[in-house]
Amino acid sequence: MAESCRKMIDIGSIFPIYKDNLTKEQRELRPTGKILYSLCREALLDVARSLSSTNKVVLLPAYTCDTVYLPFKQEGWKCIYYSINKNLRINIPSLKEQFDNSHPTLIIAHPYYGSELSHEEVEALKELKNSGSRILIDNTQCIFSDSHLDFVDFYVGSYRKWFPIPDGGYLECKEDNIPAPNEENMTFVSLQTVAMYLRGEYFETSCEEVKQLSIQMNKAAELHAVGIIEPHAMSSFSTNTLNSQDFDSNKRARFQNYLFLYNNLHLDLIEYAIQNIEDVTSAPLYFPIYIKDRTKLQRYLAQYHIYLPIIWPVDDEEILIDKTVREIYQKILCIPVDQRYDIEDMERIVLLIEKFANEENCSPRC
């Protein structure tokens, strides 16, 4: 059965791998001009190591993943955070104030959920670049972005969030002192491949025991990735699979699913994190919303096999630098829009969230 014809039982699960994925003919890897890593955090570690002779101060967005700052902390860097506005744009006054206070070697920026950097954000980063800092753009949430700013020193991104591959990340840089890793992350890749293969088995058989085993293997893989970070090469299986992906089709599906939610998910209890659809200029990773009682909505939708992730959980309260950042972390919830799903799936999500909203309004507590 072709992968594109398989209907997902769950929405929001890890990507599945099927037997035909494992037996595909190996293709010659297209040149990318990128250093390929097993995990994006490993690319960040190499960036930190390449700048070890500096003051080792990095300025990061306060809304970020722990895998972004942990490589720097491992290398003894001081992490300083600047604020992000509720619309997920850089709080430029905060950025400049923290720059003046810390004189960082490196500034990291995230374009969020398909919204590439605005003109104002670009100009602010360019100004700080001219004041002596290097700039790193983490495109994990805008992996298809074609934007390449000439003043940016490093681009990184995680492929495994976007495709049916167990590992994969990249680094593009102007530095020539970062060697590509050679050794694959065999234990992590093996565990994650099994988890994804079992998830494919679950989608074909509907066997809950297989699903639970897949969840256990996925947790084991992620647990293995926790701890001391060391660079590994992206696995040959992942590079081959990535090489065979239809990027244009994937982008179209994500845009269509995102646009449907944007046009139809109009409820008082939900606020769009990105209000202007024109800001979404690259294929989005998720459709982000704000909702006060997100745990209740998560549990409700889970009954129907729809799983909305929190991107990201708070692992270090040091990042909660102001009221706005705290609110983002407390209320943000993400709806999957990736290429596994279609408009019918989005309709299902909208109808169930509407049902949830109606039940909440009819609750005796109201």
Side-chain angles (χ1 to χ4, degrees), residues 185-238:
N185 196 351
M186 297 300 295
T187 302
F188 174 83
V189 171
S190 296
L191 290 169
Q192 190 66 359
T193 301
V194 171
M196 296 169 73
Y197 179 78
L198 289 171
R199 194 59 55 99
E201 287 285 300
Y202 161 65
F203 287 145
E204 293 188 323
T205 65
S206 302
C207 178
E208 281 293 326
E209 290 183 1
V210 172
K211 176 182 176 179
Q212 292 307 313
L213 185 55
S214 170
I215 291 172
Q216 292 173 23
M217 296 299 291
N218 176 241
K219 288 180 178 179
E222 295 299 335
L223 186 61
H224 180 77
V226 174
I228 301 299
I229 305 165
E230 286 296 338
H232 297 87
M234 185 175 173
S235 67
S236 56
F237 172 77
S238 291

Side-chain angles (χ1 to χ4, degrees), residues 59-93:
L59 185 54
L60 310 98
Y63 177 51
T64 191
C65 180
D66 66 342
T67 58
V68 176
Y69 57 75
L70 285 176
F72 293 94
K73 289 192 172 185
Q74 179 177 306
E75 293 301 300
W77 284 58
K78 183 176 183 180
C79 296
I80 307 294
Y81 302 95
Y82 61 88
S83 188
I84 296 296
N85 295 323
K86 199 174 177 185
N87 65 354
L88 304 181
R89 292 294 186 186
I90 294 172
N91 182 322
I92 293 175

Side-chain angles (χ1 to χ4, degrees), residues 112-158:
Y112 295 103
Y113 302 104
S115 294
E116 297 173 280
L117 294 177
S118 69
H119 173 74
E120 292 77 15
E121 290 172 313
V122 168
E123 289 303 308
L125 292 169
K126 185 186 297 185
E127 177 185 335
L128 300 184
K129 163 71 175 184
N130 292 335
S131 297
S133 285
R134 292 176 174 86
I135 306 296
L136 184 150
I137 305 298
D138 183 345
N139 266 340
T140 292
Q141 295 197 4
C142 289
I143 206 75
F144 292 113
S145 173
D146 294 324
S147 174
H148 275 73
L149 303 168
D150 58 7
F151 68 89
V152 172
D153 300 278
F154 307 95
Y155 281 98
V156 299
S158 176

Side-chain angles (χ1 to χ4, degrees), residues 264-267 349-359:
N264 291 278
L265 194 59
H266 301 303
L267 296 165
I349 291 171
V350 170
L351 289 173
L352 285 170
I353 295 179
E354 288 176 346
K355 183 180 177 184
F356 168 81
N358 290 333
E359 291 180 8

Side-chain angles (χ1 to χ4, degrees), residues 31-44:
T32 63
K34 302 173 181 176
I35 302 174
L36 299 179
Y37 289 82
S38 179
L39 302 173
C40 187
R41 70 196 75 171
E42 299 170 356
L44 291 167

Side-chain angles (χ1 to χ4, degrees), residues 103-343:
H103 305 288
T105 290
L106 181 69
I107 300 171
I108 296 177
H110 294 314
Y112 295 103
Y113 302 104
S115 294
E116 297 173 280
L117 294 177
S118 69
H119 173 74
E120 292 77 15
E121 290 172 313
V122 168
E123 289 303 308
L125 292 169
K126 185 186 297 185
E127 177 185 335
L128 300 184
K129 163 71 175 184
N130 292 335
S131 297
S133 285
R134 292 176 174 86
I135 306 296
L136 184 150
I137 305 298
D138 183 345
N139 266 340
T140 292
Q141 295 197 4
C142 289
I143 206 75
F144 292 113
S145 173
D146 294 324
S147 174
H148 275 73
L149 303 168
D150 58 7
F151 68 89
V152 172
D153 300 278
F154 307 95
Y155 281 98
V156 299
S158 176
Y159 288 125
R160 70 190 188 102
K161 310 290 196 307
W162 295 78
F163 302 104
I165 53 177
D167 72 332
Y170 75 87
L171 167 66
E172 283 186 272
C173 61
K174 295 178 179 178
E175 308 285 339
D176 59 3
N177 62 337
I178 301 180
N182 295 313
E183 184 179 347
E184 293 187 11
N185 196 351
M186 297 300 295
T187 302
F188 174 83
V189 171
S190 296
L191 290 169
Q192 190 66 359
T193 301
V194 171
M196 296 169 73
Y197 179 78
L198 289 171
R199 194 59 55 99
E201 287 285 300
Y202 161 65
F203 287 145
E204 293 188 323
T205 65
S206 302
C207 178
E208 281 293 326
E209 290 183 1
V210 172
K211 176 182 176 179
Q212 292 307 313
L213 185 55
S214 170
I215 291 172
Q216 292 173 23
M217 296 299 291
N218 176 241
K219 288 180 178 179
E222 295 299 335
L223 186 61
H224 180 77
V226 174
I228 301 299
I229 305 165
E230 286 296 338
H232 297 87
M234 185 175 173
S235 67
S236 56
F237 172 77
S238 291
T239 53
N240 181 60
T241 302
L242 185 64
N243 200 41
S244 67
Q245 295 298 297
D246 185 339
F247 283 17
D248 290 338
S249 174
N250 289 349
K251 287 189 283 187
R252 280 195 303 272
R254 288 176 179 273
F255 273 121
Q256 289 169 359
N257 290 335
Y258 190 104
L259 186 61
F260 182 88
L261 293 175
Y262 183 88
N263 289 332
N264 291 278
L265 194 59
H266 301 303
L267 296 165
D268 290 340
L269 82 166
I270 285 174
E271 179 183 357
Y272 293 174
I274 299 171
Q275 297 284 335
N276 189 352
I277 189 63
E278 293 180 359
D279 286 344
V280 184
T281 52
S282 181
L285 183 60
Y286 292 101
F287 185 92
I289 60 173
Y290 293 123
I291 180 168
K292 186 175 181 180
D293 195 345
R294 63 185 179 184
T295 301
K296 187 179 291 186
L297 177 60
Q298 281 181 305
R299 289 173 178 169
Y300 181 85
L301 293 178
Q303 301 175 85
Y304 300 94
H305 293 264
I306 298 172
Y307 304 98
L308 307 192
I310 295 171
I311 309 294
W312 296 278
V314 175
D315 292 298
D316 184 348
E317 295 208 351
E318 184 183 359
I319 62 179
L320 302 176
I321 62 172
D322 61 28
K323 181 179 178 181
T324 300
V325 169
R326 188 178 294 271
E327 185 177 1
I328 291 172
Y329 279 109
Q330 288 174 342
K331 294 184 178 180
I332 200 161
L333 194 60
C334 294
I335 303 176
V337 294
D338 65 70
Q339 62 270 19
R340 293 173 291 175
Y341 314 120
D342 56 24
I343 297 302

